[in-house]
Amino acid sequence: MNIPSNIVTLVLGIALTLVSLWYGQNHGLMPIAASDEAEAIDGIFDVMMTIGTGLFLLVQGILIFCLVRFRRRKGDTQDGPPIEGNVPLEILWTAIPAVVVFLLSIYSFEVYNSMGGLDPHASHDVGLHAHHSNSMNQKNMLALDLSSKNLAYGLGLPSESQEPVNLKVKVNAMQYAWIFNYPQGAIVSGELHVPVGKTVELDMEASDVIHAFWLPEFRIKQDVIPGRVTELVFTANKVGQYPIVCAELCGAYHGGMKSVLYVQTPEDFQQWLKDNSVEESSGETQKISSVAASAESQFIVPHIKSLGLLPEPEQLDQLHSNH
Ligand SMILES: [Cu+2]
């Protein structure tokens, strides 16, 4: 029986599409999705994975087919036929990726916009506040002015969103630690605690160089920059512990610049707030500083020790005042 080749091509095309669609949904490459924002990001990733799988199978399939079909036969000592390009084919394989990239750009722009990435932050005044990272010490780092108005960049609340921000946390990034400052209870912590199901806003600033705040399980990442506030708004939707990673090469111990995000039930979170609040007192600043200092070295020391360097806390202090 003679099967026409266009039917074979059609069947192969359908099979390739089905395999690509299946793999695009079942690649298993992403960690658990623990935020409301993750769904949109995973959606675009799955679409790109589907297209990528289809193109991979198509290109590799044609390659392997040609290797077999056009292999050199026994006794064939001739040169190949001199073929000089194929304009329709070149137009086709230029046009297809162009359309694919164009559609993906519209899709990703839409996702970015839906996450508040294009929000101009109308409530903030334009202008950067005076900020001298060189002269910055522990004390004024902690006395972040909560009322200072900055133009914030980053992922904010989408303008059509009805949800209010339930919790604001100031984030300070430094070589090589994350410091989280809770206005409620004046808590300064080396770990980030947030309640599940609540909208959280991080107002982030760096005190030395550019860092990047990355939550892989939340699918969000934002640069943290000296002298400029960047914002990240998200809603955690699964109780658990998730890594916080610095995703911008920020110095020698960049790889050790990690912390933990604890997503807690609202009750557990309130308890944590209560347990860690610092009472209003004259010694407040000192108390906060010591918490911050220990939180900081707690994250740095194990990494530095593992490198066999700077095991003494005094030297660690020097390391911080040097930059
Ligand atoms: Cu960093």
Side-chain angles (χ1 to χ4, degrees):
M1 204 176 75
N2 193 12
I3 305 168
S5 68
N6 52 359
I7 294 196
V8 174
T9 311
L10 181 70
V11 170
L12 284 175
I14 292 170
L16 187 129
T17 308
L18 289 178
V19 169
S20 304
L21 284 172
W22 180 84
Y23 190 69
Q25 304 296 314
N26 297 280
H27 50 74
L29 293 173
M30 287 294 200
I32 187 172
S35 76
D36 288 353
E37 290 70 23
E39 202 186 324
I41 301 290
D42 286 357
I44 193 166
F45 186 83
D46 290 353
V47 166
M48 289 196 289
M49 205 63 210
T50 304
I51 297 169
T53 304
L55 285 177
F56 176 80
L57 292 177
L58 183 71
V59 171
Q60 298 304 314
I62 292 173
L63 184 68
I64 290 166
F65 172 80
C66 291
L67 282 174
V68 176
R69 177 78 175 73
F70 303 111
R71 70 189 184 280
R72 191 175 71 87
R73 309 298 162 121
K74 238 180 200 160
D76 181 1
T77 53
Q78 285 183 303
D79 282 343
I83 298 170
E84 217 194 296
N86 184 327
V87 173
L89 192 61
E90 287 186 21
I91 290 174
L92 184 76
W93 70 38
T94 306
I96 292 174
V99 170
V100 166
V101 169
F102 181 68
L103 292 178
L104 282 178
S105 71
I106 294 174
Y107 183 12
S108 55
F109 192 79
E110 193 47 46
V111 168
Y112 187 60
N113 190 25
S114 74
M115 291 171 74
L118 299 177
D119 195 320
H121 300 274
S123 62
H124 295 271
D125 288 340
V126 178
L128 303 175
H129 68 157
H131 184 96
H132 306 286
S133 56
N134 290 343
S135 64
M136 196 170 211
N137 58 34
Q138 194 91 324
K139 216 195 229 154
N140 62 27
M141 182 272 292
L142 294 160
L144 285 169
D145 182 7
L146 298 177
S147 68
S148 76
K149 296 200 169 180
N150 306 292
L151 179 64
Y153 298 89
L155 295 176
L157 265 190
S159 43
E160 70 271 23
S161 171
Q162 302 301 313
E163 301 172 71
V165 168
N166 299 112
L167 173 69
K168 279 193 186 195
V169 183
K170 291 260 169 190
V171 180
N172 192 269
M174 62 174 72
Q175 291 167 317
Y176 299 93
W178 299 101
I179 306 295
F180 303 99
N181 189 329
Y182 290 74
Q184 297 154 279
I187 298 170
V188 176
S189 169
E191 305 159 343
L192 181 59
H193 289 247
V194 302
V196 70
K198 305 279 187 210
T199 306
V200 178
E201 177 184 316
L202 303 181
D203 295 324
M204 308 189 287
E205 205 167 359
S207 48
D208 38 42
V209 298
I210 300 176
H211 302 272
F213 186 90
W214 181 30
L215 295 172
E217 279 76 5
F218 285 42
R219 314 284 193 268
I220 49 176
K221 180 162 72 177
Q222 176 59 53
D223 275 7
V224 187
I225 303 164
R228 168 179 286 189
V229 173
T230 51
E231 202 177 284
L232 204 49
V233 176
F234 60 86
T235 306
N237 60 18
K238 289 182 184 69
V239 170
Q241 287 179 30
Y242 307 99
I244 298 170
V245 183
C246 179
E248 185 74 59
L249 182 59
C250 60
Y253 306 110
H254 157 71
M257 188 164 165
K258 290 173 179 162
S259 184
V260 182
L261 166 61
Y262 292 87
V263 177
Q264 300 174 299
T265 61
E267 298 76 42
D268 286 353
F269 176 71
Q270 286 307 326
Q271 192 58 45
W272 179 82
L273 270 187
K274 230 175 93 188
D275 292 348
N276 290 277
S277 292
V278 178
E279 295 83 1
E280 296 288 325
S281 74
S282 54
E284 185 186 340
T285 317
Q286 209 133 39
K287 263 166 142 181
I288 297 170
S289 302
S290 67
V291 176
S294 67
E296 201 184 329
S297 45
Q298 180 196 331
F299 285 97
I300 304 166
V301 167
H303 300 291
I304 293 178
K305 272 188 179 162
S306 71
L307 289 165
L309 294 160
L310 302 169
E312 303 301 325
E314 304 89 75
Q315 285 175 291
L316 197 62
D317 288 341
Q318 280 174 12
L319 179 81
H320 273 281
S321 54
N322 281 348
H323 67 249

